Amino acid sequence: MTSSELWTRATADRYDAEESEMSSAAFLEPTLAFLADLAGDGRALEFAIGTGRVGVPLRERGVPVAGIELSEHMAAVLRRKIDEETLPVTTGDMATTVVPGDFTLVYLVYNTITNLLTQDEQVECFRNAARHLAPGGRFVIELGVPPLRFLPPGQVAVPFDVSERHLGFDTFDLVEQILVSHHFTRDGDNDDDRYRRDASRHRYAWPAELDLMARLAGLELERRVADWSGEPFTENSAKHISVWRKPSR
């Protein structure tokens, strides 16, 4: 058991509805095209596959996909969409769980490596990815750049969403590299409806730190872009898609 916090049944059951925009075909098309191109004719393994937001449509695109998922509740939602034979999922953590066979692609999307709350576990996640990759295979991570430039002296919180139905902000422990993501979500459409409060902990990491983790796992940085469409990564990019390659020799 790693330090990752487990998704509850209630969270799993409402996850797809709350992420409906990010699950649309139009939104996912660049992601699926990017991953399918890297997988080529081989197999793909998704760490923390969740409810299958990416894994299921990637499998439907023709890429053989397997998954690892810590939360049985999240995996149960995925199983309503696709059977085990078509998309097998192993229950376990992404830092140590081993799936039989090798893969041309291992990927980890939507900031999920930050669910591992220690640097040691994040390093082991890279090593686990390398363990599963065939020579020449790639490990892909989608991760936000820590928004610390928005923190003036003495401030510890940064808002990331202020909308009619949702208020979201992150608070930061700058010593331990831990952020807590706070969500206040309105359950109905009326002004007097109650707000549901949720919070989750994450260990943020900089791109250079991830590159060092990759080197420790025997992987080499191949490219880094700002989004799934391949826009250049710059000092102003809010997130990055990073690709590391396992040497062929």
Side-chain angles (χ1 to χ4, degrees):
M1 183 70 169
T2 70
S3 60
S4 295
E5 297 175 347
L6 278 171
W7 295 86
T8 65
R9 183 189 300 273
T11 301
D13 286 343
R14 64 175 179 258
Y15 182 84
D16 284 347
E18 293 183 346
E19 301 294 344
S20 59
E21 181 179 351
M22 294 185 60
S23 301
S24 69
F27 183 93
L28 285 175
E29 176 54 31
T31 305
L32 301 177
F34 192 106
L35 295 174
D37 180 64
L38 289 180
D41 297 328
R43 303 164 67 214
L45 174 63
E46 181 171 355
F47 283 179
I49 194 170
T51 65
R53 181 183 68 91
V54 174
V56 171
L58 186 62
R59 180 65 184 90
E60 293 171 345
R61 202 181 184 97
V63 178
V65 177
I68 294 173
E69 174 55 45
L70 183 61
S71 170
E72 294 181 357
H73 300 303
M74 296 289 277
V77 175
L78 178 149
R79 196 53 66 218
R80 299 171 197 163
K81 307 172 185 177
I82 195 166
D83 62 81
E84 174 72 18
E85 183 177 354
T86 305
L87 200 165
V89 175
T90 301
T91 302
D93 68 84
M94 55 188 160
T96 62
T97 302
V98 176
V99 175
D102 54 20
F103 299 81
T104 56
L105 173 67
V106 177
Y107 65 96
L108 183 54
V109 299
Y110 202 17
N111 304 319
T112 311
I113 193 171
T114 66
N115 290 358
L116 298 170
L117 299 179
T118 70
Q119 185 183 70
D120 286 344
E121 288 177 349
Q122 291 179 355
V123 168
E124 288 306 312
C125 181
F126 273 82
R127 287 179 172 151
N128 200 30
R131 183 181 298 122
H132 285 91
L133 286 173
R138 276 92 169 191
F139 182 36
V140 177
I141 283 181
E142 175 189 24
L143 183 61
V145 177
L148 301 188
R149 65 193 303 179
F150 297 110
L151 282 175
Q155 181 173 312
V156 296
V158 172
F160 58 84
D161 184 34
V162 179
S163 59
E164 184 177 350
R165 297 182 60 85
H166 178 255
L167 302 174
F169 59 93
D170 293 328
T171 55
F172 293 85
D173 180 334
L174 301 180
V175 175
E176 298 296 332
Q177 281 185 221
I178 296 292
L179 71 83
V180 180
S181 186
H182 304 265
H183 301 266
F184 292 85
T185 307
R186 195 166 72 185
D187 285 326
D189 296 320
N190 300 316
D191 290 340
D192 58 353
D193 285 326
R194 298 182 62 181
Y195 277 79
R196 183 182 70 254
R197 179 179 180 179
D198 300 291
S200 57
R201 295 187 301 152
H202 306 267
R203 182 186 187 272
Y204 63 85
W206 300 95
E209 184 180 5
L210 298 181
D211 290 343
L212 183 55
M213 294 181 189
R215 289 177 60 188
L216 291 173
L219 304 176
E220 303 169 348
L221 181 65
E222 185 172 75
R223 60 172 156 153
R224 174 168 291 127
V225 292
D227 57 30
W228 295 107
S229 298
E231 290 298 312
F233 179 74
T234 71
E235 63 180 8
N236 295 317
S237 298
K239 73 173 185 178
H240 60 97
I241 313 298
S242 296
V243 181
W244 298 273
R245 184 175 181 271
K246 185 174 183 176
S248 299
R249 59 184 186 280

